[in-house]
Every structure is written in C-alpha cells, then in structure tokens.
Amino acid sequence: MNTESAMPFEYNQVHFEELKKQQRKKVFLKGLLFLLPSLLLFSIFIFYPMIRTVYLSFFLTNQAGITTVFVGMQNYIDIFTSPIFMKSLTSTFLFVLFTVPGTIIVSLFLAVIANEKIKGIGFFRMIFSSTMGVSVAAASVFWLFLFHPSIGFFNKILVTFGFDKIGWLTNPEWALASVSLSTIWMNIGFTFLIILGGLQSIDSHLYESANIDGAGFFYKLRRITIPMLSPTLFFVVTVSIINSFQTFGQIDMLTKGGPSNETNLIVYSIYREAFVNYQYGTASAQAVILFIIILIMTVIQFKLGERKVHYQ
Amino acid sequence: MIKKFFALLMASLLVILAGCGSNQTSSTEKGSTSEKDDKQVVTFWHSMSGVPQETLNSIVEEYNNSQDKVQVNAEFQGTYEESLPKFHSVGGTKDAPTMIQVQEIGSMSMINSGNIEAIQKFIDAENYDMSGLEENIVNYYKVDDKFYSMPFNSSTPVMYYNKDAFKKAGLDPEKAPETFEEVEEAGKKIVKSNDQMKGFALQAYGWLFEELLANQGGLLLNNDNGRTDTPTAVEFDNEKGKSIFEWAKRMTDAGTFANYGTNSDNMLSGFLAGDVAMFLQSSASSRDVIDNAPFEVGVAFLPHPEAEERQGVAIGGASLWMSSGKEEAEQNAAWEFMKYLQTPAVQAKWHVGTGYFAINPAAYDEQVVKDAYKEMPQLQVSVQQLQATKPSFATQGALMDMIPAERKIIETALETVYNRGDVDEAFNSAVEQVNAAIEQSNAARGK
C-alpha cells in the first residue's frame, strides 16, 4: 500500500526534476546564444592569440615566427637572468609610478577649477581636454621639438636663465622623467574629461548644505568631492595603470628605448625582441609576464581599492 | 528612444556595407581595365622618405610612361626596420609585393625566409651582364657566387663638416681631419674659438660602428664576417673595436663631444644650427645637408685611428628582392623594371637627386652628373671613398641574420660611454650580449 502510493509521487518528483533540468538547459542555451557574438569575437581576437602567445613562449622561432626548437621554460629563465629585461621591468614600474599619480593629480586640479560656473568656462574645458584629440605620434613629434638638445624650447629657456643645457632625451638621468612628462601631458585630456564628468554628477544639494554649515573650500573638497568622486577616480586609476604598463608610441618616437635602455619599457622591449631581433619566443615570454603583472595589479586594486570606493 | 537608436544603427550599418560594396566594385573595375590595357602590375615596396622618395617616385612615373607593358606601383611601407617584418608576415601569400627594397643587413634574413626568388635565375636566363656594376657592390651582394637580389641604392658613411667653423678656428677648411686623433685636435680648437659649438658628434648607430671597424680592417663576426660560414662568435672584441669606444670617451672627457643619442634628425638639425662642427652620416643625406645648411659644408672620408691604415668602407643601403610564388609574367615585369633602374641615365638622376652613389659607374659620365659635380663637388667624395676601398672580408661587410640585434646592443653600449660610463665595462658587456644573440639565433634555426 505504502509503496503503491509512493510510486506515483516519486515518479512525479523525478519528472519534475527532469523538467526543471530541461528548463535550465534551455535557459542556459538561450543565454549562450546571447553571449555567442561576444564569445566568438573574444575567442578569435583575445583567447586564441593569448593561448598562442603562451604556446610560442616555450619555443624558439625562425623569422616568420614559426616554431623550430622546443625549449620549455628556458625563455623565461633567460629573460629573468637578463639584466636588460630586469632593467626594463624597473623602468616600467618607475614609469607607472611617475605618470599615474602625476596625471591624476593634474587632471583633478584642472577638473576642480573647470567645474566652477563662470562665463566662458566651456572654452577652458575644451582647452584642458584638447590633448585627447592629439594622437600619440603627433604629440611625440611636438615634444621632440621641445626636448631638442640645441634648438629645443626647454634648453633655450635654461640658457636664457644662465643654466646648463640638459640632454632631456639623451641623458640617462633625465630620459625617463622627460618621457613621463610628455606622457602625463598626453593623458591629461582623457582623465580630465572623465573626472569632470564625475564632478558634475555630484548632487549640488550636498554643497549647499555644506555652505550653510559654513564649510570651507578644502573641507568640501576633502569631505564631499573626493568621496563622491571615488568611483570615477577608481576607474581612472585602474585604466591609467593599465595604459601606463602598455605604453609604446611615445617611446618609439622619442627615445627608441635609449639612452642605455633607460626608457626600454616592457612593451617596447617586446616589440624589439619580436620585430627587430625576430625572437618571437622570448618576446612571447615577456608578453606573458606583462599579462601576469597587469592581472595581479588589477586584482590587488579591486581587492584593496574597491573597499574605499563609495558608490551612491 | 531605443527604436530610434536601432533605426540609426541600421542606417549606419547600411551605409558602411554600401561603402564596402562600392569599394569592391571599384577595385575590380580597376583590375579589369588594367587587363584591358594589357599592363602587368608590379607592386614595389620601398622605404624611401623625404627627398629620395620624391626622386624615386619620379623615376617610377617616368618608367610607367616610357612603355605600355608594365605598371609599377611604388608603395612606401615605413622604414627598413618596419617593412622587413611586414614582408616576413605576408611572404609567400598573395598579399606579398612583387618586389621589395631591403637594407643590406636584412639580406641573410631574406635568404633564410625562403619566400624570395634569387635573381640569379633571371640573370642566367638571358645571360644578363652584371659586370658593368660597381665592383664593391658586386662583392657585397654576391653571396656564394650568386646574386640573390638586385643592388639599387647604396651609400657609404662620410664625415660632414662646417667649413665656416673650421675657418674661424684657424683650421684649413679644405683639409678635413683624417684620423681619430686629428678629429680630436680639431674639436678642441673649434670649442676654443666658439664655446657654443661642440667639435664632433657620433650618433649611437650600430652601422657607423661597423663602418669605423671596417675602415680599420677589423672584422665584426668570425668565419670571415660570416662570408665563409655561419658566424659562431664576434670578432670585434679586440683593440680595433675598442678604439672606437675609447675615441668617444676621450672626446666626451675633453668636452668636445656632442651627444645626440640615437637620433639622427636631432644631430642633423644640431649641425645645421651650428651646434656641432663635424658628424658622421650616410652619404645619402648629402643633398639634404648641402641644400639646407646656411654655411659651406665640407664632405670628407671616414676617419680612422692613427695606428691603423685606412682600409675603406663597406657599402650600406638596400637592394631589391623578388618574391617567390608569383606568376612568371609578373616576375618578368619586375625584372624588367630592375634592369631599368640600373641604366646609367636613371642612376645618374638617382645619384644627383639623393647622394646615394650610382651602382652603375657609367652614370658618372652622364651630363647631369658632371653638371652637378661642378655645382656640388662634395657629391663626389663618397664615390672616391668607395673606389679607394681595398677589397677584403672586412670591407665586404658582415653577413648574418642577427645583425639588427647586434646594432641595438652596440648602440646601448655607445650611449653608456657617451654618458660617462666605463669603457671596459660597456664594451665587454656588449661583446657578451652579441655573442649570446648569435648563439640564440643559431639555436633558433635548429642547427
């Protein structure tokens, strides 16, 4: 009796489970269908090249990039024992350290002053964001003139005030700083625009109440502007760091990695290894290292930085 | 709102698609017209910019107008360093150009690539006479008794100097310093007479190092500069190689050296602005320098250390390579164009228009050249320097596929010395790195 009554119930249960499973499968397939275009594009343009890079990093290659000899981890061992690659890593970290805070502080300053409502502010906003419209190549040529050792603007000023000329791009002590300076200038436009957007979305009531309470400019900046801006700043910091790690154009135009490899940033080093020396294996190994570094940096940022971010 | 957006998106997609479509039709139309005209199209990748590009374009145009069988399309593909990787990635496919200009150090890499047709095949097919060409050029481009590529633009490094500055410093403007030591002395006198001007600039450029080495009879790589067998190690790790570093060091210490790093444009504009009195550069810049300088420019032979005799220079520049896997008609058309480029009249125009020398000595008898020499006798110096060169493995130039890497390493080492680094340390580390690069390059070939 007992078993008889339980049978249909169990049967029902199984049937229901089955249905549910089928339903889930359907939903999953539907979801996959929606994801398909991006998955397809990602696999072709991101995942396949990435896997291929990892694969190449275990080989030596001929000039067409076709693998010839399997060397296992040797490429990795080689680059980590090479003083040139280690220098390239140090330079890259220094470069990030110079450019990211520099860009953000300058852009934040410009955005705060451009956020005032005065007549003709649109003109200033346009000027401050204009570097976004200048390509890296054009900007580099322009900076090349400024940095020129004998007829450059900077050295002319130095000479007028009675100082010695500086080899901006040829002196190892200055080169990285010079490239950083021009990079900060190039990045200001974009960062400024994003931060200004963030500033304008802050509710003005907050400032009004603060004004009634008699808060000063800096107090408002510290207690209202920065916290309310934190999601924007977080975004800008993440993007800038990744961008800095991937800097290539200005290095190629301004210094070609010189003097004495002082500005041989990692992406330039990869380019040189692959397309000048035709060592696609070592280049791939370096690219994998760069990927890991950026991955770690981003994870750390999300773990540490996001806690401090205040989302409205 | 969303509907509107989609409508807009659709409309823009349509426009894009239509654009692509019309592009395609126009290109096929183009193809069919060229077939109608029976013109064989030859794609020619080159790396000439500035004045040489203008000259080259006018030569190509004249060729296209001179006959109705071949249409040469000259395409600028960036510097030598940029166009070579491009060729390597499309080599053997239908996107590869019919012919490409490759600089001399890319020769071995082109031969190893397997995507080229040695032009010896065309020479043999019609018994074409290559003996009319400049002997030193033939020496350089003949590998294992075989021509792989057609020489085209060749230059040698020369020393440019500011004659007005020489006069001011009490030096003889007609007699340029010949040795390293004389260059140093002249530099000191120039700085003394004008403290705003430096004496000498040596661009950190691997090619110049190789040439200064060859001028002393020094070999860059073992196995006779790679001419008898694939090199296994460097051979410049001796006094000859080091003397160049020491020379730069002495001038840096004396304060007569102008450091422009690896940037040749900065060095050139520094020279034109009167910031430096002497510098080394390819003779291909002769026209540019002479035409643009507000003072009188002297051109002289490459200096050498007093202790060593002058041996002469290896040629630099580029040659023209034929792609394999193209239709025979297309290759033959490219071959016709290559032969045209060698004719005395074309070479005369090329020589006078750029400063590259004529690979066909008969060009020097052309009236254009004679007229130009009367006006600019400096143009002759590179020709004389080449003809005074003693043929040897050193002046034949080194042959290996890792030379681009070698150049970068030497450039870094030179820059270290320019910035008051230690000569021995920089030099030894350069030797070590080049050896490692040779080793890796040999290993990568799987031999």
Side-chain angles (χ1 to χ4, degrees):
Chain A
M1 183 76 182
N2 236 347
T3 42
E4 260 175 25
S5 67
M7 271 274 278
F9 174 74
E10 222 164 69
Y11 176 76
N12 263 345
Q13 178 85 0
V14 168
H15 191 69
F16 183 67
E17 281 283 299
E18 195 94 313
L19 256 176
K20 217 171 156 187
K21 226 184 214 170
Q22 243 172 12
Q23 196 70 23
R24 230 185 271 151
K25 213 174 177 183
K26 230 179 179 176
V27 169
F28 178 72
L29 278 178
K30 234 190 233 169
L32 213 61
L33 205 67
F34 278 107
L35 282 177
L36 190 70
S38 63
L39 273 182
L40 203 72
L41 287 178
F42 266 102
S43 344
I44 296 173
F45 293 108
I46 311 267
F47 300 138
Y48 172 68
M50 224 164 83
I51 294 164
R52 181 86 189 152
T53 305
V54 175
Y55 172 77
L56 270 179
S57 70
F58 297 122
F59 287 88
L60 292 180
T61 64
N62 69 7
Q63 287 163 349
I66 296 169
T67 53
T68 50
V69 187
F70 177 78
V71 290
M73 295 303 283
Q74 194 58 44
N75 282 333
Y76 290 94
I77 297 169
D78 282 350
I79 58 173
F80 276 110
T81 48
S82 145
I84 295 167
F85 182 71
M86 293 321 272
K87 180 154 199 188
S88 163
L89 274 186
T90 342
S91 303
T92 311
F93 276 105
L94 276 177
F95 180 77
V96 173
L97 205 66
F98 291 159
T99 53
V100 175
T103 310
I104 288 173
I105 289 168
V106 176
S107 322
L108 183 63
F109 172 73
L110 289 178
V112 168
I113 60 172
N115 197 26
E116 300 297 323
K117 286 190 182 65
I118 47 171
K119 217 178 166 194
I121 194 69
F123 175 73
F124 289 100
R125 287 177 186 167
M126 189 194 76
I127 293 289
F128 292 156
S129 56
S130 61
T131 61
M132 212 173 102
V134 185
S135 74
V136 172
S140 302
V141 170
F142 158 74
W143 280 90
L144 213 50
F145 278 116
L146 293 181
F147 285 136
H148 192 283
S150 42
I151 54 173
F153 182 68
F154 290 151
N155 273 349
K156 283 232 162 111
I157 290 185
L158 284 180
V159 170
T160 323
F161 287 103
F163 294 104
D164 274 344
K165 285 179 184 174
I166 292 175
W168 296 99
L169 297 172
T170 51
N171 187 332
E173 281 160 25
W174 281 96
L176 195 62
S178 306
V179 176
S180 304
L181 185 69
S182 56
T183 307
I184 290 175
W185 182 84
M186 287 174 211
N187 292 347
I188 280 176
F190 173 72
T191 324
F192 166 80
L193 212 62
I194 302 283
I195 295 181
L196 185 65
L199 282 178
Q200 293 194 330
S201 66
I202 297 176
D203 202 333
S204 58
H205 294 303
L206 293 171
Y207 290 108
E208 278 160 22
S209 340
N211 281 342
I212 291 167
D213 291 341
F217 177 80
F218 285 102
Y219 191 82
K220 280 188 283 179
L221 184 73
R222 203 153 51 88
R223 289 298 164 110
I224 301 175
T225 313
I226 304 280
M228 295 306 279
L229 205 57
S230 56
T232 315
L233 283 177
F234 179 65
F235 166 76
V236 164
V237 169
T238 313
V239 170
S240 303
I241 287 186
I242 295 177
N243 260 343
S244 278
F245 269 110
Q246 298 181 337
T247 301
F248 172 77
Q250 50 270 55
I251 301 294
D252 190 42
M253 302 282 294
L254 289 174
T255 60
K256 301 224 177 282
S260 314
N261 287 330
E262 202 61 43
T263 61
N264 189 10
L265 301 190
I266 188 159
V267 175
Y268 191 75
S269 155
I270 293 171
Y271 159 78
R272 206 195 243 177
E273 229 12 76
F275 300 113
V276 179
N277 301 351
Y278 300 117
Q279 299 296 344
Y280 293 92
T282 356
S284 299
Q286 295 189 4
V288 170
I289 301 295
L290 175 65
F291 168 71
I292 293 171
I293 291 174
I294 293 183
L295 188 71
I296 292 173
M297 294 294 284
T298 314
V299 168
I300 291 178
Q301 267 179 314
F302 270 90
K303 284 262 180 274
L304 292 183
E306 207 169 24
R307 263 189 254 152
K308 297 227 169 67
V309 172
H310 171 90
Y311 288 105
Q312 239 171 338
Chain B
M1 181 65 198
I2 289 181
K3 253 188 193 164
K4 250 189 196 167
F5 174 73
F6 271 116
L8 208 75
L9 194 77
M10 284 304 172
S12 53
L13 272 178
L14 217 82
V15 171
I16 291 168
L17 283 178
C20 294
S22 69
N23 257 347
Q24 252 162 14
T25 46
S26 71
S27 63
T28 44
E29 264 165 26
K30 222 184 198 172
S32 59
T33 47
S34 65
E35 268 164 40
K36 240 183 260 164
D37 289 346
D38 241 6
K39 269 196 164 187
Q40 179 61 53
V41 176
V42 168
T43 340
F44 171 29
W45 283 10
H46 66 83
S47 300
M48 300 278 94
S49 53
V51 179
Q53 183 174 18
E54 285 163 28
T55 315
L56 182 63
N57 282 343
S58 89
I59 290 174
V60 169
E61 205 185 309
E62 271 172 34
Y63 178 70
N64 285 338
N65 294 335
S66 73
Q67 40 76 43
D68 52 8
K69 294 215 171 61
V70 182
Q71 166 75 29
V72 177
N73 293 333
E75 291 172 11
F76 175 68
Q77 291 285 347
T79 62
Y80 293 131
E81 280 176 7
E82 288 162 359
S83 65
L84 188 56
K86 275 190 206 170
F87 178 81
H88 280 317
S89 50
V90 299
T93 71
K94 70 174 178 20
D95 293 323
T98 327
M99 53 192 275
I100 173 175
Q101 180 191 29
V102 176
Q103 68 174 334
E104 87 281 342
I105 55 167
S107 299
M108 212 57 216
S109 133
M110 286 298 274
I111 295 172
N112 290 344
S113 80
N115 291 322
I116 54 108
E117 190 85 66
I119 62 151
Q120 188 68 40
K121 179 181 147 191
F122 301 93
I123 296 172
D124 292 342
E126 56 183 85
N127 264 329
Y128 185 72
D129 186 17
M130 295 282 276
S131 64
L133 301 189
E134 176 76 42
E135 191 196 346
N136 292 290
I137 296 174
V138 169
N139 276 339
Y140 188 95
Y141 286 107
K142 214 170 191 176
V143 180
D144 303 330
D145 238 11
K146 191 170 164 188
F147 281 104
Y148 283 91
S149 62
M150 183 63 106
F152 172 51
N153 56 318
S154 295
S155 63
T156 54
V158 286
M159 187 168 79
Y160 296 87
Y161 63 99
N162 182 335
K163 284 191 177 177
D164 294 5
F166 266 53
K167 259 178 235 162
K168 206 177 156 201
L171 293 157
D172 181 1
E174 297 312 319
K175 199 182 159 298
E178 284 181 8
T179 63
F180 284 8
E181 288 75 7
E182 282 174 31
V183 169
E184 285 172 49
E185 281 312 305
K188 279 179 197 155
K189 282 186 185 153
I190 282 159
V191 174
K192 208 184 251 174
S193 73
N194 177 0
D195 63 354
Q196 292 298 308
M197 191 185 266
K198 297 276 185 198
F200 184 80
L202 178 63
Q203 181 195 351
Y205 184 15
W207 179 56
L208 290 176
F209 172 81
E210 289 161 22
E211 292 288 358
L212 287 166
L213 187 69
N215 202 14
Q216 308 171 35
L219 294 176
L220 186 72
L221 304 170
N222 71 358
N223 288 333
D224 300 322
N225 253 350
R227 291 278 167 177
T228 49
D229 199 3
T230 309
T232 53
V234 300
E235 200 156 319
F236 68 83
D237 50 344
N238 50 29
E239 271 316 302
K240 285 177 181 166
K242 210 165 165 183
S243 69
I244 298 157
F245 282 73
E246 280 163 347
W247 181 41
K249 175 78 180 163
R250 287 197 300 272
M251 288 189 287
T252 310
D253 288 346
T256 60
F257 189 80
N259 176 14
Y260 292 97
T262 52
N263 193 316
S264 66
D265 291 340
N266 278 355
M267 180 174 67
L268 185 59
S269 52
F271 177 73
L272 296 178
D275 283 313
V276 64
M278 296 173 270
F279 75 105
L280 304 183
Q281 202 173 44
S282 158
S283 61
S285 318
S286 303
R287 271 305 287 268
D288 249 356
V289 178
I290 296 166
D291 288 350
N292 291 322
F295 45 81
E296 222 186 312
V297 178
V299 177
F301 283 17
L302 206 64
H304 57 93
E306 220 158 60
E308 305 283 345
E309 207 183 322
R310 175 190 289 120
Q311 298 293 319
V313 287
I315 54 157
S319 62
L320 305 175
W321 294 75
M322 181 88 74
S323 269
S324 62
K326 293 278 172 192
E327 276 171 39
E328 212 177 310
E330 193 178 334
Q331 286 186 337
N332 284 334
W335 169 245
E336 287 303 316
F337 179 59
M338 285 182 182
K339 284 193 294 188
Y340 174 78
L341 288 177
Q342 286 195 358
T343 52
V346 172
Q347 281 298 318
K349 184 175 172 175
W350 181 240
H351 173 55
V352 171
T354 58
Y356 282 110
F357 42 68
I359 55 167
N360 188 341
Y364 300 125
D365 300 328
E366 296 278 318
Q367 197 55 41
V368 210
V369 177
K370 284 181 184 161
D371 292 345
Y373 281 174
K374 252 176 230 155
E375 209 182 311
M376 278 178 260
Q378 300 100 315
L379 280 178
Q380 290 180 74
V381 174
S382 70
V383 180
Q384 289 161 353
Q385 178 171 244
L386 185 72
Q387 284 165 353
T389 293
K390 296 167 190 159
S392 69
F393 285 125
T395 56
Q396 235 182 330
L399 203 60
M400 193 175 178
D401 51 3
M402 49 60 66
I403 288 183
E406 172 265 330
R407 288 194 175 172
K408 288 286 171 211
I409 295 165
I410 294 290
E411 283 158 22
T412 302
L414 280 173
E415 279 190 300
T416 310
V417 172
Y418 296 172
N419 289 299
R420 303 184 181 278
D422 186 60
V423 171
D424 288 317
E425 211 175 285
F427 184 71
N428 292 339
S429 127
V431 169
E432 219 170 88
Q433 289 173 41
V434 178
N435 275 332
I438 294 174
E439 211 172 287
Q440 177 154 29
S441 190
N442 283 336
R445 240 175 284 115
K447 278 170 197 163

Coordinates of all heavy atoms in Angstrom, one line a residue, chain B residues 54-96:
Chain B
E54 N 60.8 61.4 -53.3 CA 60.4 62.2 -54.4 C 61.1 61.8 -55.7 O 60.5 61.6 -56.7 CB 60.6 63.7 -54.2 CG 59.7 64.3 -53.2 CD 60.2 65.7 -52.6 OE1 61.0 66.3 -53.3 OE2 59.8 66.0 -51.5
T55 N 62.4 61.6 -55.5 CA 63.2 61.2 -56.7 C 62.8 59.8 -57.2 O 62.6 59.6 -58.4 CB 64.7 61.1 -56.3 OG1 65.0 62.3 -55.6 CG2 65.6 61.1 -57.5
L56 N 62.6 58.9 -56.3 CA 62.1 57.6 -56.7 C 60.8 57.6 -57.4 O 60.6 57.0 -58.4 CB 62.1 56.6 -55.4 CG 61.7 55.2 -55.7 CD1 62.8 54.5 -56.6 CD2 61.6 54.4 -54.4
N57 N 59.9 58.4 -56.8 CA 58.5 58.4 -57.4 C 58.6 59.0 -58.8 O 57.9 58.5 -59.7 CB 57.6 59.3 -56.6 CG 57.1 58.6 -55.4 OD1 57.1 57.3 -55.3 ND2 56.5 59.3 -54.4
S58 N 59.5 59.9 -59.1 CA 59.5 60.5 -60.4 C 60.2 59.5 -61.4 O 59.8 59.4 -62.5 CB 60.3 61.9 -60.4 OG 61.6 61.7 -60.6
I59 N 61.1 58.7 -60.8 CA 61.7 57.6 -61.7 C 60.7 56.6 -62.1 O 60.6 56.2 -63.2 CB 62.9 57.0 -61.0 CG1 64.1 57.9 -60.9 CG2 63.3 55.7 -61.7 CD1 65.3 57.4 -60.0
V60 N 59.9 56.2 -61.1 CA 58.8 55.2 -61.4 C 57.8 55.7 -62.4 O 57.4 55.0 -63.3 CB 58.1 54.8 -60.0 CG1 56.9 54.0 -60.3 CG2 59.1 54.0 -59.2
E61 N 57.5 57.0 -62.2 CA 56.5 57.6 -63.1 C 57.0 57.6 -64.5 O 56.3 57.3 -65.5 CB 56.2 59.0 -62.6 CG 54.8 59.5 -63.1 CD 54.6 60.9 -62.7 OE1 54.8 61.2 -61.5 OE2 54.2 61.7 -63.6
E62 N 58.3 58.0 -64.6 CA 58.9 58.1 -66.0 C 58.9 56.7 -66.6 O 58.6 56.5 -67.8 CB 60.4 58.6 -65.9 CG 60.5 60.1 -66.0 CD 61.9 60.5 -65.7 OE1 62.8 59.8 -66.0 OE2 62.0 61.6 -65.1
Y63 N 59.2 55.7 -65.8 CA 59.2 54.3 -66.3 C 57.8 53.9 -66.8 O 57.7 53.4 -67.9 CB 59.7 53.3 -65.2 CG 59.7 51.9 -65.7 CD1 60.6 51.5 -66.7 CD2 58.8 51.0 -65.2 CE1 60.6 50.2 -67.2 CE2 58.7 49.7 -65.7 CZ 59.7 49.3 -66.7 OH 59.6 48.0 -67.1
N64 N 56.8 54.2 -66.0 CA 55.4 53.8 -66.4 C 55.0 54.5 -67.6 O 54.3 54.0 -68.4 CB 54.5 54.2 -65.2 CG 54.6 53.2 -64.1 OD1 55.0 52.1 -64.3 ND2 54.1 53.6 -62.9
N65 N 55.5 55.8 -67.8 CA 55.1 56.5 -69.0 C 55.9 56.1 -70.3 O 55.5 56.3 -71.4 CB 55.2 58.0 -68.8 CG 54.2 58.5 -67.8 OD1 53.2 57.8 -67.6 ND2 54.5 59.6 -67.1
S66 N 57.1 55.5 -70.0 CA 58.0 55.2 -71.1 C 57.6 54.0 -71.9 O 58.0 53.8 -73.0 CB 59.4 55.0 -70.6 OG 59.5 53.8 -69.9
Q67 N 56.7 53.1 -71.3 CA 56.3 51.9 -72.0 C 54.9 51.6 -71.6 O 54.3 52.1 -70.7 CB 57.3 50.8 -71.8 CG 57.7 50.6 -70.3 CD 56.7 50.1 -69.4 OE1 56.0 49.1 -69.8 NE2 56.6 50.7 -68.3
D68 N 54.2 50.7 -72.4 CA 52.8 50.4 -72.0 C 52.6 48.9 -71.7 O 51.5 48.4 -71.8 CB 51.9 50.8 -73.2 CG 52.4 50.2 -74.5 OD1 53.3 49.3 -74.4 OD2 51.9 50.5 -75.6
K69 N 53.7 48.2 -71.2 CA 53.5 46.8 -70.8 C 53.4 46.6 -69.3 O 52.7 45.8 -68.8 CB 54.7 46.0 -71.3 CG 54.7 46.0 -72.9 CD 55.2 44.6 -73.3 CE 55.1 44.4 -74.8 NZ 55.8 45.5 -75.6
V70 N 54.2 47.5 -68.6 CA 54.3 47.3 -67.1 C 53.9 48.5 -66.4 O 54.2 49.6 -66.8 CB 55.8 46.9 -66.7 CG1 55.9 46.7 -65.3 CG2 56.3 45.7 -67.5
Q71 N 53.1 48.3 -65.3 CA 52.7 49.4 -64.5 C 53.3 49.1 -63.1 O 52.9 48.1 -62.4 CB 51.1 49.4 -64.4 CG 50.5 50.2 -63.3 CD 50.6 51.7 -63.6 OE1 50.6 52.1 -64.8 NE2 50.7 52.5 -62.6
V72 N 54.2 49.9 -62.7 CA 54.8 49.7 -61.4 C 54.1 50.6 -60.3 O 54.0 51.8 -60.6 CB 56.3 50.1 -61.4 CG1 56.9 50.0 -60.0 CG2 57.1 49.2 -62.4
N73 N 53.7 50.0 -59.3 CA 53.0 50.7 -58.2 C 54.0 50.8 -57.0 O 54.2 49.8 -56.3 CB 51.7 50.1 -57.8 CG 50.7 50.2 -58.8 OD1 50.7 51.1 -59.7 ND2 49.8 49.2 -58.8
A74 N 54.6 51.9 -56.8 CA 55.6 52.1 -55.7 C 54.8 52.4 -54.4 O 54.0 53.3 -54.4 CB 56.6 53.2 -56.0
E75 N 55.0 51.6 -53.4 CA 54.3 51.9 -52.1 C 55.3 52.0 -51.0 O 56.2 51.2 -50.8 CB 53.4 50.7 -51.8 CG 52.2 50.6 -52.7 CD 51.4 49.3 -52.5 OE1 51.7 48.6 -51.5 OE2 50.6 49.0 -53.3
F76 N 55.2 53.1 -50.3 CA 56.1 53.4 -49.1 C 55.6 52.5 -47.9 O 54.4 52.6 -47.6 CB 56.1 54.8 -48.7 CG 56.8 55.2 -47.5 CD1 58.2 55.0 -47.5 CD2 56.2 55.6 -46.3 CE1 58.9 55.3 -46.3 CE2 56.9 55.9 -45.2 CZ 58.3 55.7 -45.2
Q77 N 56.4 51.7 -47.4 CA 56.0 50.8 -46.3 C 56.7 51.0 -45.0 O 57.0 50.1 -44.2 CB 56.2 49.3 -46.7 CG 55.2 48.9 -47.8 CD 53.8 48.6 -47.3 OE1 53.6 48.6 -46.1 NE2 52.9 48.5 -48.2
G78 N 57.1 52.3 -44.7 CA 57.8 52.6 -43.5 C 59.3 52.3 -43.6 O 59.7 52.0 -44.7
T79 N 60.0 52.5 -42.6 CA 61.5 52.4 -42.6 C 61.8 50.9 -42.9 O 61.0 50.1 -42.9 CB 62.1 52.8 -41.3 OG1 61.6 51.9 -40.3 CG2 61.7 54.2 -40.9
Y80 N 63.1 50.7 -43.2 CA 63.6 49.4 -43.5 C 63.2 48.4 -42.3 O 62.8 47.3 -42.5 CB 65.1 49.3 -43.6 CG 65.7 50.1 -44.7 CD1 66.7 51.0 -44.6 CD2 65.2 49.8 -46.0 CE1 67.3 51.6 -45.7 CE2 65.7 50.5 -47.1 CZ 66.8 51.4 -46.9 OH 67.3 52.0 -48.0
E81 N 63.3 48.9 -41.1 CA 63.0 48.1 -39.9 C 61.6 47.7 -39.8 O 61.2 46.7 -39.2 CB 63.5 48.8 -38.7 CG 64.9 48.7 -38.4 CD 65.4 49.5 -37.2 OE1 64.5 50.0 -36.5 OE2 66.6 49.6 -37.0
E82 N 60.7 48.6 -40.4 CA 59.3 48.3 -40.3 C 58.8 47.4 -41.5 O 57.9 46.6 -41.3 CB 58.5 49.6 -40.3 CG 58.6 50.4 -39.0 CD 58.2 51.8 -39.2 OE1 57.8 52.3 -40.3 OE2 58.3 52.5 -38.2
S83 N 59.4 47.6 -42.7 CA 58.9 46.9 -43.8 C 59.3 45.5 -43.9 O 58.6 44.6 -44.4 CB 59.3 47.6 -45.1 OG 60.7 47.6 -45.3
L84 N 60.5 45.2 -43.3 CA 61.0 43.8 -43.3 C 60.1 42.8 -42.6 O 59.7 41.8 -43.1 CB 62.4 43.8 -42.8 CG 63.2 42.4 -43.0 CD1 63.2 42.0 -44.4 CD2 64.6 42.6 -42.5
P85 N 59.7 43.2 -41.3 CA 58.8 42.3 -40.6 C 57.4 42.1 -41.4 O 56.8 41.1 -41.4 CB 58.5 43.0 -39.3 CG 59.7 43.9 -39.1 CD 60.1 44.3 -40.4
K86 N 57.0 43.2 -42.0 CA 55.8 43.1 -42.8 C 55.9 42.1 -43.9 O 55.0 41.3 -44.1 CB 55.5 44.5 -43.4 CG 54.7 45.5 -42.5 CD 54.3 46.7 -43.4 CE 54.1 47.9 -42.5 NZ 53.9 49.1 -43.3
F87 N 57.1 42.2 -44.6 CA 57.3 41.2 -45.6 C 57.3 39.8 -45.1 O 56.7 38.9 -45.6 CB 58.6 41.5 -46.4 CG 58.8 40.5 -47.5 CD1 58.2 40.6 -48.7 CD2 59.7 39.4 -47.3 CE1 58.4 39.7 -49.7 CE2 59.9 38.5 -48.3 CZ 59.2 38.6 -49.5
H88 N 58.0 39.6 -43.9 CA 58.1 38.3 -43.4 C 56.7 37.7 -43.0 O 56.5 36.5 -43.1 CB 59.0 38.3 -42.1 CG 60.4 38.3 -42.5 ND1 61.0 37.5 -43.5 CD2 61.5 39.0 -42.0 CE1 62.3 37.7 -43.6 NE2 62.6 38.6 -42.7
S89 N 55.8 38.6 -42.6 CA 54.5 38.0 -42.2 C 53.6 37.8 -43.4 O 52.7 37.0 -43.3 CB 53.8 38.9 -41.2 OG 53.8 40.2 -41.6
V90 N 53.8 38.5 -44.6 CA 53.0 38.2 -45.7 C 53.7 37.4 -46.8 O 53.1 37.0 -47.8 CB 52.4 39.4 -46.4 CG1 51.5 40.2 -45.4 CG2 53.5 40.3 -47.0
G91 N 55.0 37.1 -46.6 CA 55.8 36.5 -47.6 C 55.2 35.1 -48.0 O 54.7 34.4 -47.1
G92 N 55.1 34.8 -49.3 CA 54.6 33.6 -49.7 C 53.1 33.6 -49.9 O 52.6 32.6 -50.5
T93 N 52.4 34.6 -49.5 CA 51.0 34.7 -49.7 C 50.7 35.6 -50.9 O 51.7 36.3 -51.4 CB 50.2 35.3 -48.5 OG1 50.5 36.7 -48.4 CG2 50.6 34.5 -47.2
K94 N 49.5 35.8 -51.3 CA 49.2 36.6 -52.5 C 49.3 38.1 -52.1 O 49.3 38.9 -53.0 CB 47.9 36.3 -53.1 CG 46.6 36.6 -52.3 CD 45.4 36.4 -53.1 CE 44.1 36.6 -52.4 NZ 44.0 37.5 -51.3
D95 N 49.3 38.4 -50.8 CA 49.4 39.8 -50.4 C 50.9 40.3 -50.5 O 51.1 41.5 -50.3 CB 49.0 40.0 -49.0 CG 47.5 39.7 -48.9 OD1 46.8 40.1 -49.8 OD2 47.0 39.2 -47.8
A96 N 51.8 39.4 -50.7 CA 53.2 39.8 -50.8 C 53.4 40.7 -52.0 O 52.8 40.5 -53.0 CB 54.1 38.6 -50.8

